Amino acid sequence: MRARVMHPRGHTRLPRYVRGRCGTVETHRGTHVLPDARAHGHGECPEPLYTVVFTGPELWGPDADPTTTVSVDAWESYLEPA
């Protein structure tokens, strides 16, 4: 999956350093309240939540340590097919 490139006004929990980067869904964490929607007064808006793993080279380029990984919990609306 690819983390969406997004620049919302206000609250989001998608780190900028993963936006536009491809990762692997490691775990489905169930359905949870989307904090972005709640922070903007749109109610709970439950969505599936996933743990997505990104490699160091995907995030920081070919010179990054290939054994480095970063895991991010991302709601479904933060992701798109790669």
Side-chain angles (χ1 to χ4, degrees):
M1 298 296 286
R2 181 183 318 274
R4 291 182 50 217
V5 175
M6 53 191 277
H7 305 286
R9 298 181 82 188
H11 183 82
T12 185
R13 291 186 183 240
L14 184 64
R16 289 189 188 277
Y17 61 87
V18 302
R19 296 178 193 179
R21 307 293 188 202
C22 292
T24 302
V25 173
E26 180 179 74
T27 307
H28 175 247
R29 299 278 178 193
T31 300
H32 299 274
V33 171
L34 178 63
D36 303 28
R38 189 153 195 173
H40 292 282
H42 300 294
E44 294 187 353
C45 299
E47 283 191 16
L49 178 65
Y50 304 95
T51 297
V52 183
V53 179
F54 298 88
T55 65
E58 177 66 19
L59 295 176
W60 299 296
D63 293 333
D65 181 349
T67 65
T68 298
T69 60
V70 174
S71 297
V72 172
D73 286 339
W75 277 263
E76 189 169 73
S77 61
Y78 294 171
L79 304 171
E80 62 188 15

